[in-house]
Amino acid sequence: MTPTGASTLITGISELVTNQPGHGHGDASPVGRVRDAAVVLAGGRVAWSGPASVAPAPEFAARMAGRPYAAGGIQATVTATREADDETLTATVARLAGELVRGG
């Protein structure tokens, strides 16, 4: 989920436990660990969590400054997708599919 509205980006998290099995860089841990993580908070809730390398940071910063973010958006997603290895892509799809199912 990409955050919208007033949000806070937290970075510099060396290890984040998500309690989502398999959430992270190929980590098969039953608790779901993400190393070098970031979190976005919006509306008092966690709106996004994952590797800091794919955090919605440039897009987020531009939005918070009230600037258009033409350099971010879909281009940032395409770049991150192309740079990710198969294991990371598979884990991300599984996580997002789980969120979709839980959301109804």
Side-chain angles (χ1 to χ4, degrees), residues 8 12 15 18-19 24 29 34 40 45 48 52-53 59 66 69 72 78 80 84-85 88 94 101-102:
T8 302
E15 184 173 78
T18 65
N19 293 323
S29 168
V34 180
V40 175
R45 303 187 82 175
W48 181 90
S53 63
E59 189 173 313
Y69 46 95
V78 169
D85 59 43
T88 299
V101 169
R102 285 188 300 279

Side-chain angles (χ1 to χ4, degrees), residues 5-82:
S7 306
T8 302
L9 173 64
I10 300 171
T11 59
I13 303 168
S14 69
E15 184 173 78
L16 176 69
V17 176
T18 65
N19 293 323
Q20 292 180 308
H23 190 200
H25 284 295
D27 188 349
S29 168
V31 296
R33 294 181 300 169
V34 180
R35 290 184 175 84
D36 189 23
V39 173
V40 175
L41 304 175
R45 303 187 82 175
V46 174
W48 181 90
S49 67
S53 63
V54 296
E59 189 173 313
F60 172 82
R63 193 174 330 146
M64 293 300 100
R67 296 186 317 265
Y69 46 95
I74 191 66
Q75 186 59 44
T77 301
V78 169
T79 300
T81 301
R82 287 181 178 156

